[in-house]
């Protein structure tokens, strides 16, 4: 499927590509990433393939990511065509508690900085980057709604928050007539499937399309580490960031190696790269609106952009599902078909099919219709 097939994000009218370009790699300030010429190549290749959705954040590579992205968009006069998503939350001024977090003071400060670096007068999708544990959802949603009313922001979303917080925020928007959340940006991959318990049904129910970050698990699923060739070699991004406390980079485990091994075998049977299979699997899961793909080399991006050109057969998809299935946890173990059967009297009860007429009585076996 080409990138110039667009879908609306959540219940908004914003049309975006199923693969978004991650600009977190624009800049080398973090010890890895792409220099300016390479970043420009990545940008041009993505938009030339039909992509229109680019993700960044105010503090990615110390602000370089936003600056370069704005520069590349201006060079090609693509502002109206490009959907820019950027984020706020993190603090670049140690000692100043209001230069970070999700309070109104910081949001208003952060949006002005992003607008300046991006060289634009509006942001298409403005996202809370990470829950700060203290700011009430009421303050966040009122502030974000004000930004939309002012014209500085078009749509809004949340990233890396508890499900209950996201649910409260969206409910507040519905109740008070604020701009609703269009997206939840969350980590999801074959090795990180925890969002399936709460966030996927939440997004489907309340109209928030999920933007996936790290579909390749920080490179673990990229094909760089193949069990058939010795597995982890102590090289690449995972080696560079192994001392960082961020849990997103802690991917080396016995469980995950089993997943990588199965992914390698499935990719061989499909004649596709491991990265393509991993991205394809993620993109086609329930509730997923768009998958962010990042790269530091042009060859990596070109490979990722072909990830939607094939279907994974059911038998192979089942193998990936089984090896990567998360452990059952309370209370989710009570939602299994066995326990639900005890609730529904042994009768199969499921969600209503598309087109179901709620007022129409359906005859059951042995029952009359009135």
């Amino acid at each position: 499927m080409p990138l110039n097939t667009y879908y609306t994000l959540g219940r908004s009218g914003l049309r975006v590509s199923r693969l978004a370009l991650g600009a977190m790699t624009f800049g080398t300030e973090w010890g890895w990433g792409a220099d300016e010429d390479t970043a420009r190549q990545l940008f041009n290749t993505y938009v030339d393939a039909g992509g229109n959705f680019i993700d960044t954040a105010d503090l990615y590579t110390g602000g370089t990511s936003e600056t370069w992205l704005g520069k590349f968009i201006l060079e090609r006069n693509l502002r109206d065509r490009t959907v820019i998503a950027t984020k706020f939350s993190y603090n670049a001024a140690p000692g100043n508690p209001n230069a970070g977090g999700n309070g109104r003071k910081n949001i208003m400060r952060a949006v002005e900085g992003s607008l300046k670096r991006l060289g634009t007068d509006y942001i298409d999708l403005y996202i809370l980057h990470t829950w700060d544990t203290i700011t009430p959802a009421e303050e966040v949603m009122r502030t974000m709604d004000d930004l939309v009313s002012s014209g500085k922001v078009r749509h809004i979303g949340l990233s890396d928050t508890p499900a209950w917080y996201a649910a409260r925020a969206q409910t507040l928007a519905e109740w008070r007539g604020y701009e609703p959340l269009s997206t939840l940006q969350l980590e999801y991959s074959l090795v990180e499937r925890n969002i399936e318990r709460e966030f996927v049904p939440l997004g489907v129910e309340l109209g928030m399309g999920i933007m996936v970050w790290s579909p390749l698990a920080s490179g673990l699923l990229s094909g760089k580490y193949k069990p058939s060739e010795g597995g982890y070699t102590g090289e690449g991004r995972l080696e560079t960031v192994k001392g960082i406390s961020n849990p997103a980079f802690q991917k080396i485990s016995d469980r995950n190696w089993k997943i990588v091994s199965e992914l390698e075998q499935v990719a061989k049977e499909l004649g596709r790269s491991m990265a393509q299979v991993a991205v394809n699997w993620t993109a086609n899961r329930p509730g997923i609106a768009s998958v962010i793909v990042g790269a530091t080399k042009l060859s990596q991006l070109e490979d990722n952009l072909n990830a939607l050109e094939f279907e994974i057969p059911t038998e192979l998809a089942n193998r990936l599902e089984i090896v990567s299935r998360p452990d059952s946890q309370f209370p989710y173990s009570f939602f299994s078909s066995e326990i639900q059967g005890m609730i529904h009297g042994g009768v199969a009860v499921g969600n209503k099919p598309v087109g179901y007429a709620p007022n129409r009585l359906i005859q059951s076996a042995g029952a009359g219709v009135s």
Side-chain angles (χ1 to χ4, degrees):
M1 181 178 294
L3 291 187
N4 58 0
T5 299
Y6 309 103
Y7 293 87
T8 52
L9 185 63
R11 288 189 189 144
S12 77
L14 186 63
R15 299 156 176 84
V16 299
S17 302
R18 287 185 67 201
L19 295 182
L21 177 63
M24 185 179 182
T25 60
F26 287 12
T28 58
E29 286 83 351
W30 291 349
W32 51 270
D35 60 28
E36 185 172 350
D37 288 340
T38 302
R40 182 181 285 104
Q41 274 189 312
L42 297 172
F43 172 83
N44 287 334
T45 298
Y46 174 75
V47 297
D48 288 343
N52 76 334
F53 198 15
I54 305 177
D55 177 78
T56 184
D58 56 357
L59 290 193
Y60 281 172
T61 54
T64 297
S65 176
E66 284 187 331
T67 300
W68 286 1
L69 176 57
K71 181 178 181 179
F72 301 157
I73 291 171
L74 179 62
E75 287 174 351
R76 297 193 50 179
N77 192 29
L78 293 175
R79 182 63 193 96
D80 285 344
R81 186 183 184 283
T82 305
V83 176
I84 298 175
T86 193
K87 302 182 285 292
F88 66 89
S89 287
Y90 287 91
N91 194 316
N96 180 0
N98 289 307
N102 303 324
R104 186 179 185 89
K105 181 176 176 66
N106 183 56
I107 295 175
M108 302 301 283
R109 178 205 62 80
V111 74
E112 296 298 339
S114 287
L115 289 169
K116 183 177 180 180
R117 284 185 293 273
L118 288 164
T120 184
D121 57 3
Y122 72 96
I123 293 166
D124 297 287
L125 179 61
Y126 202 42
I127 302 173
L128 180 153
H129 204 157
T130 301
W131 186 45
D132 66 5
T133 76
I134 58 174
T135 305
E138 292 88 339
E139 182 173 343
V140 171
M141 295 305 291
R142 174 58 191 271
T143 305
M144 299 279 262
D145 184 67
D146 286 346
L147 291 180
V148 173
S149 297
S150 73
K152 294 180 180 181
V153 168
R154 300 292 192 258
H155 299 274
I156 61 173
L158 301 178
S159 177
D160 307 339
T161 70
W164 68 262
Y165 191 88
R168 177 164 177 79
Q170 189 72 322
T171 302
L172 282 166
E174 293 176 348
W175 178 39
R176 295 184 173 177
Y178 294 161
E179 177 67 22
L181 298 163
S182 299
T183 190
L184 296 170
Q185 188 177 119
L186 303 163
E187 182 179 8
Y188 188 48
S189 70
L190 279 164
V191 304
E192 178 47 75
R193 294 178 53 183
N194 287 313
I195 69 168
E196 294 175 7
R197 297 188 177 98
E198 291 282 353
F199 288 97
V200 170
L202 169 64
V204 171
E205 179 70 20
L206 296 186
M208 297 172 281
I210 294 175
M211 288 179 68
V212 171
W213 61 265
S214 200
L216 299 181
S218 297
L220 183 66
L221 307 177
S222 67
K224 187 177 184 64
Y225 311 106
K226 296 181 178 179
S228 67
E229 299 176 3
Y232 182 61
T233 59
E235 300 176 352
R237 181 176 173 183
L238 286 175
E239 178 67 16
T240 303
V241 300
K242 69 178 183 180
I244 297 177
S245 60
N246 188 330
F249 298 131
Q250 312 307 314
K251 301 301 185 187
I252 307 301
S253 70
D254 290 341
R255 170 190 177 270
N256 289 353
W257 279 123
K258 292 178 182 178
I259 296 171
V260 174
S261 181
E262 190 65 55
L263 174 63
E264 182 182 11
Q265 294 305 311
V266 168
K268 285 181 180 178
E269 294 182 40
L270 286 171
R272 292 283 179 169
S273 70
M274 291 171 63
Q276 287 179 355
V277 175
V279 171
N280 183 296
W281 181 89
T282 302
N284 287 291
R285 299 291 289 178
I288 304 306
S290 188
V291 176
I292 302 170
V293 293
T296 57
K297 300 177 182 178
L298 183 58
S299 59
Q300 295 171 338
L301 179 63
E302 290 173 333
D303 184 61
N304 289 339
L305 295 185
N306 292 320
L308 302 183
E309 294 183 345
F310 63 98
E311 293 184 7
I312 302 176
T314 301
E315 186 272 329
L316 297 182
N318 286 342
R319 283 166 50 183
L320 294 174
E321 153 67 25
I322 291 170
V323 74
S324 65
R325 183 177 298 160
D327 293 335
S328 180
Q329 296 180 356
F330 176 83
Y332 309 101
S333 54
F334 278 79
F335 310 146
S336 66
S337 57
E338 180 180 355
I339 299 297
Q340 290 296 303
M342 296 168 61
I343 295 173
H344 300 297
V347 177
V349 177
N351 292 325
K352 296 184 291 292
V354 175
Y356 174 80
N359 296 322
R360 196 176 87 192
L361 295 178
I362 307 299
Q363 183 173 4
S364 301
V369 178
S370 58

